[in-house]
Each structure stands twice: as structure tokens, then as C-alpha cells.
Amino acid sequence: MTSSSQLARMILVGQGKAPADLVIKNVQLLDVITGAVTPTDIAIVEDRIVGTLAQYDGLQTIDGAGRFAVPGFIDTHLHIESSLVTPFEFDRCVLPHGVTTALCDPHEIANVLGAEGIRYFLDCAERTIMDIRVNLSSCVPATGFETNGATLEIEDLAPFRDHPKVVGLAEMMNFPGVLAGDPGLLAKLAAFQGGHIDGHAPLLLGMGLNGYLAAAIRTDHEATSAAEAREKLAKGMAILIREGSVSKDLEALAEILDANTSSFVALCTDDRNPLDIAEEGHLDSSIRRLIGRGCPLHHVYRAASHSAARIFNLRDRGLLASGWRADIALLDNLEECRVSDVIAGGRLVTPDRFAARSSVEPVGLNSVKLQPVTPATFNTPANPARNQTPVIGVKPGLILTFRETATLASTDEGLQPDLAADVIKVAVVERHGRNGNIGRGFVTGFGLKRGAIASSVGHDSHNITVVGTNNEDMALSVNRLIELRGGFAVADNGAITAELALPIAGLMSLEPFETVAATLHELRDAARAIGCVLPEPFLQVSFLALPVIPHLKMTDRGLFDVDAFDFVD
Amino acid sequence: MTSSSQLARMILVGQGKAPADLVIKNVQLLDVITGAVTPTDIAIVEDRIVGTLAQYDGLQTIDGAGRFAVPGFIDTHLHIESSLVTPFEFDRCVLPHGVTTALCDPHEIANVLGAEGIRYFLDCAERTIMDIRVNLSSCVPATGFETNGATLEIEDLAPFRDHPKVVGLAEMMNFPGVLAGDPGLLAKLAAFQGGHIDGHAPLLLGMGLNGYLAAAIRTDHEATSAAEAREKLAKGMAILIREGSVSKDLEALAEILDANTSSFVALCTDDRNPLDIAEEGHLDSSIRRLIGRGCPLHHVYRAASHSAARIFNLRDRGLLASGWRADIALLDNLEECRVSDVIAGGRLVTPDRFAARSSVEPVGLNSVKLQPVTPATFNTPANPARNQTPVIGVKPGLILTFRETATLASTDEGLQPDLAADVIKVAVVERHGRNGNIGRGFVTGFGLKRGAIASSVGHDSHNITVVGTNNEDMALSVNRLIELRGGFAVADNGAITAELALPIAGLMSLEPFETVAATLHELRDAARAIGCVLPEPFLQVSFLALPVIPHLKMTDRGLFDVDAFDFVD
């Protein structure tokens, strides 16, 4: 909290009667209210802007050199785990893109470690330069159709509710549970009445949407069409336009962002991997593309900053004006949103600031609780009751799967892959040390000719998912993940050809983001070398187990028909 | 707080699976986001909307009959004391105009009674049907140039900070004190960092405004020109367009309210007397006139509701949608803003609901602590050092005064009025029982030919202000106010010809608002009968003592030159 003496200095400096801590000289300030662009200095004391639209002197100055100043961007919903790096590396990777605030939901680590994972994120959030805020994961486990590592009831969340980094309750994914009046969910919703409750309601419309919203759920990042977003807006939801590595809704939703709606729209990435961040950017990329699609420029910047802040009740930020938090992106060009410098919490973002952060001990380093498997583990007996075997159909870039069938040969090792038909094996191996479940089946769309691909990232319960053409390479890749304490691996003909260790809860690397990005390139190449035709094989492997996305999924409990909401016999 | 079982029913009803408590059938809902007008039912459970844009069944129904439904209006800054009635009567008077939320600053009663006055307002606010919220008076006393009844330091305000009806810190009027770093003000500002701090900074621009805003002051209702409002908007202030009985800024500010700004603009009345409410309306009148001046219709309604709610962090209201508070105005006509029914907190506003409210014991019934005065009290000795006597110049409708002079005859009773020149006496009599001060001087502009006019409402310290042509009637009217325990009185030739008792702190009546309005008509007539040419004599008497408004004012300590910021010798 700002003390009287701090305020005294802020007020003095604002009047120009004492030098500022920092002055950004000679910028062109974009007013996200009116769209005006005005040459000015920006005076800063501690973490607060104390003067704009005037000239100031400072103890330190930054030469704006005529660049454009806009409020720092706010990612309103993301899972930092999807960047595969720690919150510290996420900070170092994404803050230079102008993202000065990120509202994360530690849903992935919570599914492995429970409250310990949330505590780790909060501890990190207190030390990063980016202001990382946390919405408390509402649906852990996401469903009862797979085995995860922990269960979070309201009693587990309540101790975190008043933490200064906590915003509210994270995406309420289990909308069928809400509509059915599930007591555990109601208890969570009741506890956050008056606070923020994030929504997540793909395709939910009409009376169902009304019922869901009656719980005072206020945001949605799952709209995938303009018509869906417009109904949700008309029912009072703030729409978070998502553009991640997995789900990409920007093209469909750009048309909803205009002068009328911009105070009710914000941006988010949800899940974005380090390769995309390196190649395309982060929210800066979304801003660029929305402007490119004709959304009014200052309304796009408003959505990315002030609207996000208001929607999530971050009352100190989102405008460049005296009295507001000094989170500023300096751009060479407004239309292109090219960020050249970032001021976060009143100070220029530099490598030194990242280096000076205190650290947090990583957690969950032994979360892959699994004995080595043998090739025979992946024998998949034929079901004598049917001739046709159900096969999960995968298409590039979709986490939605399709229901296919195949006629497969059977040996004493069970049903055999049919490489000519691109039907290979898939298995999900429980890895939380709870029951040793293994779900086995078949998948098409990967194009593998040899080898196997394994991942300990497997939404949302994060068991080990492996696809492969043969039992030996599947066992090899899974066993390598055990040694790595989680990660990604590609096996080819008895050898591991690429790997990435993700020892924090089996989800996140201990390495710098640059190393992770380089290793992901190696993994992509190795997957391609064994025939994989999917551009993002690990993303698609990691969503094969998610039993809330239609149509056919594999969990550690077996093949799951999402439409029937039940296991296939 | 809403419990799990309440939520369960809301969710069920929202889906149409159980009857609502109340359904408003067949209305046309105005979407303040997009401007769409859509026929619908509105389903309500308890105080919450649970369904829109659909048809519902309810235990009770209201026939909307095709009327328009808009979110209830929010008055973002007002002093209920200026309505001269209790918060209960204010509720009954103003709620039918569609004002379902009012953010009041009990600045007037606090200047008389201190914390006891704030407590009274909070106690009332817990019982009214309108949701009355309180910003805690920041500047009591407003200045040291007059004697008031109490001083409120941060230690006095802090106990109220977490009261559920408290929003934040009320208008920080003492902007020179803020800019000078007054320690008491800094302590108040520091205590409300992170919460809401209301501004009040007439004509403050440039570096001074930057300094003021550095304290995270976020709103202003004192802009009187579009240019002033535009600079304040550009510096991040929310602009509250004020249209009261005293200060009327709507005509000047209407041009700033457009699609760009409407999320940053709200409406307020500040001070509005019961005659104006009866004759013109309340915020409904402001809405009507803004639309009439060409402001885009749904942006006006947005400013009056959702924007106000966001600016003041009332997160549960401001939209007509499932999950939002059921505060609804039903209008016969959108352009004219004719309110025919109001739903407040989920229930139709009816006389029965007002009658069923529990009451609060009035406070401050003995706040006029003054011995009877004699005619000689108003003898005004000549100042031998000067030939010309300074005279306060009053013009109709302005609380700003002018500096005039007169050459007055002197007798053994001191300087004499000059009725031919319209120079009459003015005196301010300290009435808090603290020092018995009396300030004496002369005023022009009232046009009195006989008698006297006295008021115990005297901004901001609320001493007794009296103007008159002769000592006898001045004494008579002041003494009558002592008997009335405060109020307004007109004396004419030794008789009281009209009076209104305001026994609550000398500011508010115990009578119904209709009685007060009728009595105000009698007072106006009585003032006119003795020659008064001002349309609102009591309003103008009550601002004669306010030493923060230029140019020449009379306080209990004497004649005050606001420009020199010092007393006239």
C-alpha cells in the first residue's frame, strides 16, 4: 500500500515541483478512451504514473524518440503451464511483448499437485516482474472420467481467496455440473459471489446459458463464433477473445469488437506454446491481427488493457494517466503493435531486472509415480463382441476428435496397428501413483510409420499419453519419461531420438525458454522423421485424453465417448 | 451473500425448470452495450435476474405491456441532505424516478454531528428500498475559515471503511490541501488507496490536476465546461455529469458523452431540492435532456447505469441480464425516459414496500445550540478606516458571489442598510455551541424591501445565515429557528410569515417530502412578499457562507475574501 509520504512525493512530482523517479520523454500517448494521440512526457514515481500531457524532469529518463505509448496489455486467461516453462521464464519470455499483467489459472499443476501447485504459482507471482494474478482453479479434477493427482474442494481453495495475487474463481468448466446443481460446485460458486467468477461455456446458449449465468459467472473465453459471442454479450458476459496455440478464435470473433462493445471485450491466449510466442508473439500478435481485420485501433488497445482491468477488477491499471500503475508498452508503430520497450511497475524491463528476481524452489519434481512398463503393457486385446474397432480420428489443429472405425488384425499380442491405413496405438498410463490404470486403443491421423511419441502433459489430468506403431517404442518412450520425471519423448526403432524434460509436475521445464523452444524444434523434427504429419504432434497428443471435448477420447480408464458421456464397453 | 441453496434455485429457474419469484412479461429490453431493443420476459429470483431473452413462468408476474426495460439508474454523487428530507423520504421520493442506487456523501450532517451523522445515514441505508451507498466525507470541516460542529480525521472514518454500504472516500474538495501535502488529507488518501476516492476539483487543470490525480483520485463532478471535462477524461478521470438545483452542468457537458466515452461518464445530481425533483424529475430528467441534446440513446442509459456501477465498483449491477441485480426501470418511452414502474432488488416498488420499512431514530435533534438573540446582535459598527463598505453581490442561480461596495449611513446602531440601493444586512451566527461567533456585513441582490430570511442550512458548516432589512426581523427569524431546532423562516414586520422546521441536525425535516415541497412553495411566496427577487432565496442564503466559492463570503468569523483567501479586516 502507498503510504502518506509516498503520496506526498507523488503529488509533488505530479505538479512538477520535484524530479520524477523516471520520465519517458517524447512519446506519443494513445488515449484508449477517445483515440487521441498526443505528444507528451510521462512522469513516474515508484510504480505509479504521476503526470502526462506535460513536460517533466526526472532522475532517470528514457528517450521515447517519438514512439507510441499504450497501456500494458493484460492476458485475461491463460495457463502458464502451456508455455512449458516456469512462471519466471514465462515472465522473461512474454513481458517483452508488452504483457504486463497475466491472469493465470494453475489448472494443470493443480490437477497434478493440488493446493501445492497453486501455492507454487502464488509464490512465483510474488516475485515476477510481470504482475501475474491467479484465478483459483474451480474444476480439479475436471471430470470423474480420468484419474488425476488431486481434488480441490472449496475448503482447499478458501485459504487462498484473500491472497493479494488472487483475483477470483477460475474458469467454471463444468457447466453441466453447474446446471445440474452439483453441491461441490455450488459451494465454490457461493463462496465467490461478490467476487470474480470466470466462465467457460463452449456453445452454451439459450436457457442453459441463462441458468449458468444466474450464478453470477461473468466472462467467457470459449465463444468460437460471432453469433455465440453476441448472445453472450447480450446476456452480460464479457467476451475474452482467445488466440492460443490450440484454440484460435480471433478470426471468427474480430467482428464483435467495435466502439459499442470494446469495454466489454478483452483478450486472452489460454494455451500458447513457446514456439508460437517466439514466432508470432503473444497478445501483441492478437492486437496486430485485430487491427488488421478492421477493428477500430484504440478500441483494440482498450480491450487489451483498460477493459480487461475493469472486467477483472484490477482498478489500478489500464490507462496512461496520473494515478495509474505505470505499466506501459512503447511501440514503434500502432497498427503493427511492434513493442520495443516495456515499463512494468514503473521501471524499464531489462535483462538485469529478470536476473535480480529471487527464486522459488520448484515443486512436484517426483510427480511421475509409475513403475517402468514393458512392451506387453500395450497389448490391446480384441473385443470379441465386435468386428470393427473404434478409432479416434485426429485432424491437424483440432482438439476435437472424430469417431472412426477400422478392421484390425489380431495376434497373440492383441489387435495390431494398420500402418497402411494410418491406424496406430494410443495408450494413457495413469502416473499419479493412484491406481496404475492403463487405457488402450487406436488413433488415426498422426501418419506415423515407425516409433512412438509420449507426453506427460495430457489435459486435464496429465497422465502419460503415448501413441506408437509398436509396443517396444511405446514402452521405451514411456520409460524415458519416467526417467525424465515427465516431459516429451520420441522413440524410433529402440532409441530415443528427441526429448524434453518437464520435471515440475511433469508439466514444466527447469530450463530457459530459449532452450525449451529449441528442443521443441528437435522434437518436431524427430516426430516428422518417423512419419508424423501433424504440425503440432505434442499438442495433439496432450489433448487426446481430455474427456470434455467431443467426440472420442482415451483416458486412463479407457476409451470415452464424449457424446454419450460414457465409456465405450 | 447468496447461499448454495439460493444459487441452486437461481440456476434451476434460469433454465426454465422451476417458476421464478417474479416474471416481467412482455417488455422490450434495451441492451446498453449494443443499443439493441429486444422483446423478452425477465425472470427474477430473490434480488437477482436469472433469465432474459426468453419466456418464463413465475409465481408472480408483472405485465410489461410492451414497455421498455432499462437498468435502474445510479446517482453517483449527491448529498441527500439537500433534499431536506430524511433518507427514507428521499427513497420514497426519488426511487419512483428509476434511481435504484444512490451514492451519497453525508457531508452536511457530518459537518454538524460528525461520525454520528455518518452512522445515521448508514443505519438508514440498511433499511431503504433504494440501495443507498455512502462515500465517507473527506473534508469535515471544509475549511478553517468558519466554525462547524465536528472534525473528522482518518481515525474517525476508519471504523466505517468496511461497512457494507460504504463505497470509499467522498469528494476530496480540499484540492489546495492535497497539492500542499496536508498531512491529515494524505492520511485519508493513503487509507483509501486501492479503494475508491471521489474527486472534486473545479477548474483544476494542467500540472495541478496531475498532482491531484497522483493520489489515485478517480472521479470528478465539478467540470463545468466541455474543455475541462475533456482534459480530465484524457487524464483518466471519470466524469460525472452533474445537474442539480444549484450547479447545472448538463448543457455544457452533453457534448462529451458519446460512443467512445460512455463507459467513462456517469450522472449525478449533487444537490437537488424537492421542488425540482417534483417539477423536473431526478436522473430521469438528465437522461431525457441528454438524449434531447443528441447524445446516443443507449450510451446515455449506459452512463446512467452500467458505467456508474463500474466506476464505483458496484459489480453486481448495471446490466439487465442473468446473474445481475434486479434493479429495473420500466419506461413508456425511451427517448423521453418516462418511468412508469420500478423494480428494486427484485421487487416492484409500491407504497406498501415503503410503508413496511423499519425506521431509524432521527439524530441531531438539538443541534441548534444557541441562546436567543436580540435585535442589537445585528448592529454592524462602521469601520473608521474606510468610507466604502464591502458588499457581497448575489446574482440569481449563482453560488459564486461578487465583490461590491456601498457608502452606507451610520447611526448609533452602526451601519444602516440602503434599501433604495438594495443593500441589506447579512449575518452568520455560529450555532454549534462552540464559540458564539457572529459575522456581520452587507449583501445586495436579494431585493428585500422588508423583513428577513433565515436558514440553518449554510454550506458547509451550517451555521445560521440571515439576511434582512432590519435588526428586529433578523432577530425574530433567528430566534424562530432556535425554537424550530433549525429550518427556514421568513419574518415580516414582527411576524413569522412562513417557516419550515428542519430538526434533524438543522438540515432535514421529519415530514413527508410532499409536505416539505408544499412548505417550500409557501416560503418562496413569503420571500417574494417582502420583495425578494431571487427565484430560490433559500438556496442562495444557504451558500452565502461557503468560503471555498469565490469571491466574497460571510462566515461566523467575518467577511471572507476567497480570492485573497483571508478575512476582510
Side-chain angles (χ1 to χ4, degrees):
Chain A
M1 258 328 163
T2 314
S3 68
S4 286
S5 62
Q6 290 171 304
L7 280 181
R9 195 158 71 85
M10 291 167 175
I11 293 166
L12 203 66
V13 173
Q15 297 174 76
K17 294 180 175 174
D21 291 349
L22 174 66
V23 176
I24 313 172
K25 305 287 293 182
N26 182 27
V27 293
Q28 302 189 69
L29 189 155
L30 174 69
D31 182 340
V32 300
I33 302 176
T34 64
V37 175
T38 310
T40 181
D41 295 347
I42 300 175
I44 294 168
V45 171
E46 302 195 17
D47 64 353
R48 185 177 290 188
I49 297 170
V50 300
T52 59
L53 307 184
Q55 293 190 317
Y56 283 95
D57 293 319
L59 302 173
Q60 280 197 297
T61 60
I62 294 172
D63 182 7
R67 285 177 291 174
F68 298 90
V70 300
F73 314 139
I74 300 174
D75 191 334
T76 54
H77 174 71
L78 83 162
H79 307 287
I80 288 179
E81 299 95 316
S82 295
S83 69
L84 304 175
V85 293
T86 64
F88 290 101
E89 283 299 296
F90 177 82
D91 182 26
R92 197 172 64 83
C93 177
V94 172
L95 182 54
H97 291 271
V99 180
T100 49
T101 304
L103 282 73
C104 77
D105 169 10
H107 177 74
E108 316 309 339
I109 197 169
N111 261 287
V112 180
L113 303 177
E116 183 189 11
I118 294 178
R119 169 62 63 195
Y120 169 71
F121 265 64
L122 289 170
D123 289 347
C124 293
E126 290 181 318
R127 292 163 173 81
T128 53
I129 296 170
M130 178 191 293
D131 190 9
I132 293 176
R133 301 292 179 113
V134 174
N135 275 307
L136 298 173
S137 309
S138 64
C139 300
V140 177
T143 74
F145 302 115
E146 46 178 352
T147 304
N148 81 340
T151 297
L152 291 179
E153 302 292 358
I154 182 58
E155 295 74 19
D156 305 300
L157 299 179
F160 298 116
R161 196 171 44 183
D162 296 324
H163 190 288
K165 290 287 183 182
V166 167
V167 171
L169 191 64
E171 51 178 339
M172 182 46 78
M173 297 159 40
N174 188 355
F175 61 85
V178 173
L179 295 180
D182 175 277
L185 295 177
L186 291 178
K188 291 173 184 169
L189 291 165
F192 285 86
Q193 296 295 299
H196 180 78
I197 305 175
D198 241 15
H200 166 119
L203 302 177
L204 186 64
L205 295 171
M207 303 292 269
L209 181 59
N210 286 357
Y212 182 72
L213 296 179
I217 296 167
R218 286 290 158 77
T219 55
D220 191 67
H221 57 268
E222 290 290 338
T224 49
S225 71
E228 180 182 356
R230 287 190 198 284
E231 177 170 337
K232 287 175 170 172
L233 271 175
K235 290 183 172 173
M237 296 193 98
I239 297 297
L240 317 180
I241 298 179
R242 172 177 58 184
E243 188 72 357
S245 294
V246 183
S247 301
K248 297 173 188 291
D249 306 315
L250 184 147
E251 297 288 326
L253 299 186
E255 67 177 75
I256 70 158
L257 175 51
D258 60 25
N260 271 333
T261 61
S262 69
S263 289
F264 303 85
V265 171
L267 310 183
C268 74
T269 58
D270 204 347
D271 295 291
R272 198 160 180 88
N273 73 37
L275 289 179
D276 284 350
I277 298 170
E279 291 164 10
E280 298 174 20
H282 203 258
L283 289 187
D284 50 336
S285 162
S286 294
I287 292 167
R288 181 181 314 137
R289 290 173 56 202
L290 287 165
I291 294 169
R293 291 193 54 99
C295 298
L297 186 143
H298 73 281
H299 289 288
V300 175
Y301 282 103
R302 186 196 292 187
S305 58
H306 186 265
S307 304
R310 274 199 174 182
I311 292 163
F312 287 89
N313 202 27
L314 303 173
R315 296 173 60 77
D316 62 345
R317 67 198 66 187
L319 290 179
L320 297 188
S322 180
W324 296 72
R325 182 175 161 89
D327 285 347
I328 308 170
L330 294 182
L331 313 179
D332 297 327
N333 177 305
L334 281 178
E335 286 74 16
E336 287 290 311
C337 192
R338 297 295 170 190
V339 179
S340 56
D341 272 313
V342 178
I343 288 84
R347 291 168 56 208
L348 185 67
V349 173
T350 62
D352 286 352
R353 286 187 73 189
F354 290 119
R357 298 168 301 180
S358 65
S359 63
V360 173
E361 280 300 301
V363 295
L365 294 178
N366 293 299
S367 74
V368 179
K369 298 172 183 166
L370 183 64
Q371 293 304 309
V373 296
T374 63
T377 303
F378 301 102
N379 287 351
T380 307
N383 181 338
R386 61 189 174 207
N387 295 323
Q388 296 264 303
T389 301
V391 174
I392 301 170
V394 170
K395 294 194 178 168
L398 292 182
I399 62 174
L400 196 101
T401 61
F402 299 89
R403 190 190 323 271
E404 312 276 350
T405 57
T407 307
L408 300 176
S410 189
T411 69
D412 55 358
E413 291 180 355
L415 292 167
Q416 294 299 305
D418 180 350
L419 299 191
D422 185 26
V423 175
I424 62 173
K425 285 187 171 179
V426 56
V428 173
V429 186
E430 192 271 331
R431 61 97 163 176
H432 302 289
R434 292 180 58 190
N435 54 32
N437 282 346
I438 301 181
R440 301 173 187 84
F442 291 87
V443 64
T444 183
F446 278 85
L448 293 202
K449 299 301 178 194
R450 313 190 300 270
I453 297 174
S455 167
S456 63
V457 178
H459 295 278
D460 281 343
S461 293
H462 302 297
N463 291 300
I464 292 177
T465 306
V466 56
V467 299
T469 63
N470 65 84
N471 289 1
E472 289 73 17
D473 283 334
M474 290 173 80
L476 178 66
S477 61
V478 170
N479 288 336
R480 182 59 186 154
L481 291 195
I482 298 172
E483 293 167 0
L484 294 174
R485 301 182 290 176
F488 298 146
V490 177
D492 181 9
N493 200 19
I496 297 295
T497 54
E499 65 183 28
L500 172 65
L502 299 172
I504 301 180
L507 300 172
M508 290 179 283
S509 170
L510 296 168
E511 299 298 320
F513 73 84
E514 297 92 340
T515 307
V516 171
T519 307
L520 286 175
H521 277 292
E522 296 171 14
L523 283 159
R524 273 190 192 174
D525 292 344
R528 200 173 301 124
I530 59 174
C532 186
V533 296
L534 298 173
E536 294 282 0
F538 286 93
L539 264 179
Q540 301 215 251
V541 168
S542 70
F543 279 97
L544 279 176
L546 187 62
V548 297
I549 304 287
H551 295 280
L552 203 58
K553 295 281 179 168
M554 178 62 65
T555 87
D556 64 295
R557 295 178 56 194
L559 189 65
F560 188 74
D561 182 331
V562 181
D563 305 301
F565 227 57
D566 203 357
F567 290 96
V568 177
D569 54 24
Chain B
M1 258 329 162
T2 315
S3 69
S4 285
S5 62
Q6 289 170 305
L7 279 180
R9 195 158 70 86
M10 290 166 175
I11 293 167
L12 202 66
V13 173
Q15 297 173 76
K17 294 181 174 175
D21 291 349
L22 174 66
V23 175
I24 313 172
K25 304 287 292 182
N26 183 27
V27 293
Q28 301 188 70
L29 188 156
L30 173 68
D31 181 341
V32 300
I33 302 177
T34 63
V37 175
T38 310
T40 182
D41 294 348
I42 299 176
I44 295 168
V45 171
E46 303 196 18
D47 64 353
R48 184 177 292 188
I49 298 170
V50 299
T52 60
L53 307 183
Q55 292 191 318
Y56 283 95
D57 293 319
L59 302 173
Q60 279 197 299
T61 59
I62 295 171
D63 182 5
R67 284 177 291 174
F68 297 90
V70 299
F73 313 138
I74 300 175
D75 191 336
T76 53
H77 174 70
L78 83 163
H79 306 287
I80 288 178
E81 300 94 317
S82 295
S83 69
L84 304 174
V85 293
T86 64
F88 290 101
E89 283 301 294
F90 176 84
D91 183 26
R92 196 171 65 82
C93 177
V94 172
L95 181 54
H97 291 273
V99 180
T100 48
T101 303
L103 282 71
C104 77
D105 169 10
H107 177 75
E108 317 308 340
I109 197 169
N111 261 287
V112 179
L113 302 177
E116 183 189 11
I118 294 178
R119 169 63 62 196
Y120 170 70
F121 264 65
L122 289 170
D123 289 348
C124 292
E126 290 182 317
R127 292 164 173 81
T128 53
I129 295 169
M130 178 192 293
D131 189 8
I132 292 176
R133 299 294 177 111
V134 174
N135 275 308
L136 298 173
S137 309
S138 64
C139 299
V140 177
T143 75
F145 303 114
E146 46 177 352
T147 304
N148 81 339
T151 297
L152 292 178
E153 303 291 359
I154 182 59
E155 295 74 19
D156 305 300
L157 299 179
F160 297 116
R161 196 170 45 182
D162 297 325
H163 190 288
K165 289 287 183 182
V166 167
V167 171
L169 190 64
E171 52 178 338
M172 182 47 75
M173 296 161 41
N174 188 356
F175 60 86
V178 173
L179 295 181
D182 176 278
L185 295 177
L186 290 178
K188 291 172 183 168
L189 291 166
F192 284 87
Q193 295 294 299
H196 179 78
I197 305 175
D198 241 14
H200 167 118
L203 303 178
L204 186 64
L205 296 171
M207 304 290 270
L209 181 59
N210 286 356
Y212 181 73
L213 296 179
I217 297 166
R218 287 291 159 76
T219 55
D220 191 68
H221 57 269
E222 289 289 338
T224 49
S225 72
E228 181 183 355
R230 286 191 200 283
E231 178 173 335
K232 287 174 171 173
L233 271 175
K235 290 183 172 173
M237 296 193 98
I239 297 297
L240 317 179
I241 297 179
R242 172 178 59 184
E243 190 72 356
S245 294
V246 183
S247 301
K248 297 175 187 291
D249 306 315
L250 183 147
E251 297 288 327
L253 299 187
E255 67 176 76
I256 71 159
L257 176 51
D258 60 26
N260 272 330
T261 61
S262 69
S263 289
F264 303 84
V265 171
L267 310 183
C268 74
T269 58
D270 204 349
D271 296 291
R272 199 161 180 87
N273 72 37
L275 289 179
D276 284 350
I277 298 170
E279 290 164 12
E280 297 174 22
H282 202 260
L283 288 187
D284 50 335
S285 162
S286 295
I287 292 167
R288 181 181 314 136
R289 291 174 56 203
L290 287 165
I291 294 169
R293 291 192 56 97
C295 297
L297 186 141
H298 73 280
H299 289 288
V300 175
Y301 282 103
R302 186 197 292 188
S305 57
H306 186 265
S307 304
R310 274 199 175 183
I311 292 163
F312 288 89
N313 203 26
L314 303 173
R315 297 172 60 77
D316 62 344
R317 68 197 66 187
L319 290 179
L320 297 188
S322 179
W324 297 71
R325 182 175 161 90
D327 285 346
I328 307 169
L330 294 181
L331 313 179
D332 297 328
N333 178 307
L334 281 178
E335 285 74 15
E336 288 290 311
C337 191
R338 298 295 171 191
V339 180
S340 56
D341 271 314
V342 178
I343 288 83
R347 291 168 58 207
L348 185 67
V349 173
T350 62
D352 286 351
R353 286 188 74 189
F354 291 119
R357 296 169 302 179
S358 65
S359 62
V360 172
E361 281 300 302
V363 294
L365 294 178
N366 293 299
S367 74
V368 179
K369 297 170 183 167
L370 182 66
Q371 293 304 310
V373 295
T374 63
T377 303
F378 301 102
N379 287 351
T380 307
N383 180 338
R386 61 188 176 207
N387 294 324
Q388 296 264 303
T389 300
V391 174
I392 300 170
V394 170
K395 295 192 177 169
L398 292 182
I399 61 173
L400 194 99
T401 61
F402 299 89
R403 190 189 323 269
E404 312 274 351
T405 58
T407 306
L408 299 176
S410 189
T411 70
D412 56 357
E413 291 182 354
L415 291 167
Q416 294 299 304
D418 179 351
L419 299 190
D422 185 25
V423 175
I424 61 173
K425 285 188 172 179
V426 56
V428 174
V429 185
E430 192 273 329
R431 61 99 162 172
H432 302 289
R434 291 180 59 190
N435 54 31
N437 282 345
I438 301 181
R440 303 173 184 86
F442 291 87
V443 63
T444 182
F446 277 85
L448 294 202
K449 299 301 178 194
R450 313 190 302 269
I453 297 174
S455 167
S456 63
V457 179
H459 295 278
D460 282 340
S461 292
H462 302 296
N463 292 301
I464 291 177
T465 306
V466 56
V467 299
T469 63
N470 65 86
N471 290 359
E472 289 72 18
D473 282 334
M474 290 172 79
L476 178 65
S477 61
V478 170
N479 288 335
R480 183 58 186 154
L481 291 196
I482 298 172
E483 294 168 0
L484 294 174
R485 301 181 291 177
F488 298 146
V490 177
D492 182 6
N493 200 18
I496 297 294
T497 53
E499 66 183 28
L500 172 65
L502 299 174
I504 301 180
L507 299 172
M508 290 179 284
S509 170
L510 295 168
E511 300 297 321
F513 73 86
E514 297 92 340
T515 308
V516 171
T519 308
L520 286 175
H521 277 293
E522 296 171 14
L523 283 158
R524 274 188 191 175
D525 292 345
R528 199 173 300 122
I530 58 174
C532 186
V533 295
L534 297 173
E536 293 283 358
F538 287 93
L539 265 180
Q540 301 216 252
V541 168
S542 71
F543 279 97
L544 279 177
L546 186 61
V548 296
I549 304 287
H551 295 280
L552 203 57
K553 294 282 177 163
M554 179 62 67
T555 86
D556 65 296
R557 295 178 55 194
L559 189 63
F560 187 74
D561 182 331
V562 181
D563 305 301
F565 227 59
D566 203 0
F567 290 99
V568 178
D569 54 21

